[in-house]
Amino acid sequence: EAQVTQNPRYLITVTGKKLTVTCSQNMNHEYMSWYRQDPGLGLRQIYYSMNVEVTDKGDVPEGYKVSRKEKRNFPLILESPSPNQTSLYFCASSLYGNGYTFGSGTRLTVV
Amino acid sequence: AQSVAQPEDQVNVAEGNPLTVKCTYSVSGNPYLFWYVQYPNRGLQFLLKYITGDNLVKGSYGFEAEFNKSQTSFHLKKPSALVSDSALYFCAVRDIGLRSGNTGKLIFGQGTTLQVKP
């Protein structure tokens, strides 16, 4: 089944403790992206990647890192999480930008 | 800058009645427009998209959307609402801005909660 898989689904952590949210797609899509969803703000792009080893900042990149060493994986790294990064996170992938498949989401709480 | 607006935070409709969820957009060129639905504790599911062609686009679960270039709108519609349609709906436009090149970024509206009552 074609899908984008995110892990974990739920995560509670403490301020400053590094964490990684994994994202993997099995559709050979060249484009991958991370979004965060906050009430009243819709989804905002954090980082995106056009292909392996090609990443760039989205609209809200502060406090986040990404890497794209393989086509299928696009992990989101929070080196020192803070409470304002408490949010619902979605990974998405796309072929040529004409259709996007989203993961099931990761609900992160930073206390 | 490209943007999407969903003017209603919530839409309430009775089951069996037609529903409309509004979306307006602002783009510098030809828009690529999308509708997604999010059920509680679930990811975003694709409903339909407009790239080119007929202004009336049909999608999943009986939904359709009408692209209106003069009004820069892309309203989501369904002739007869079901209670199971209750969810959060997002309109989005693909960023094809000159500044960023073809980043493939989706720009989302803030979302509209649809409540269908029995």
Side-chain angles (χ1 to χ4, degrees), chain B residues 14-29:
Chain B
E15 188 174 32
N17 283 0
L19 69 88
T20 299
V21 182
K22 296 180 180 177
C23 171
T24 58
Y25 64 90
S26 175
V27 299
S28 55

Side-chain angles (χ1 to χ4, degrees), chain A residues 12-104:
Chain A
I12 301 174
T13 190
V14 297
T15 298
K17 185 176 181 181
K18 180 179 178 180
L19 66 91
T20 299
V21 183
T22 63
C23 174
S24 180
Q25 51 98 0
N26 63 0
M27 295 165 282
N28 203 36
H29 286 171
E30 81 283 359
Y31 179 90
M32 298 185 75
S33 181
W34 276 102
Y35 290 84
R36 60 178 288 175
Q37 180 184 356
D38 301 290
L41 297 176
L43 282 81
R44 295 176 293 168
Q45 191 184 53
I46 303 170
Y47 267 94
Y48 67 94
S49 170
M50 301 288 277
N51 214 323
V52 175
E53 302 293 1
V54 181
T55 64
D56 206 348
K57 297 177 180 178
D59 297 319
V60 288
E62 294 76 22
Y64 303 95
K65 285 175 56 177
V66 293
S67 69
R68 188 91 181 272
K69 298 188 186 323
E70 310 164 278
K71 199 170 189 178
R72 62 184 293 121
N73 295 323
F74 191 46
L76 180 69
I77 303 156
L78 284 72
E79 295 270 3
S80 183
S82 62
N84 64 12
Q85 293 178 297
T86 293
S87 187
L88 179 58
Y89 292 86
F90 287 102
C91 180
S93 73
S94 171
L95 187 66
Y96 307 127
N98 289 335
Y100 298 77
T101 302
F102 284 82
S104 298

Side-chain angles (χ1 to χ4, degrees), chain B residues 15-84:
Chain B
E15 188 174 32
N17 283 0
L19 69 88
T20 299
V21 182
K22 296 180 180 177
C23 171
T24 58
Y25 64 90
S26 175
V27 299
S28 55
N30 293 322
Y32 286 20
L33 294 157
F34 302 81
W35 275 102
Y36 285 86
V37 60
Q38 184 180 28
Y39 298 101
N41 300 314
R42 303 283 295 275
L44 275 75
Q45 296 181 30
F46 171 78
L47 279 180
L48 51 81
K49 68 181 178 184
Y50 173 84
I51 305 281
T52 186
D54 289 341
N55 290 342
L56 186 63
V57 179
K58 294 191 182 296
S60 306
Y61 313 122
F63 284 93
E64 58 189 27
E66 186 168 11
F67 171 65
N68 188 318
K69 189 171 184 177
S70 62
Q71 297 185 5
T72 62
S73 67
F74 190 55
H75 300 332
L76 181 70
K77 300 182 179 184
K78 187 173 183 181
S80 178
L82 300 172
V83 172
S84 57

Side-chain angles (χ1 to χ4, degrees), chain B residues 75-95:
Chain B
H75 300 332
L76 181 70
K77 300 182 179 184
K78 187 173 183 181
S80 178
L82 300 172
V83 172
S84 57
D85 292 330
S86 298
L88 181 58
Y89 290 80
F90 288 101
C91 182
V93 64
R94 183 180 135 189
D95 179 13

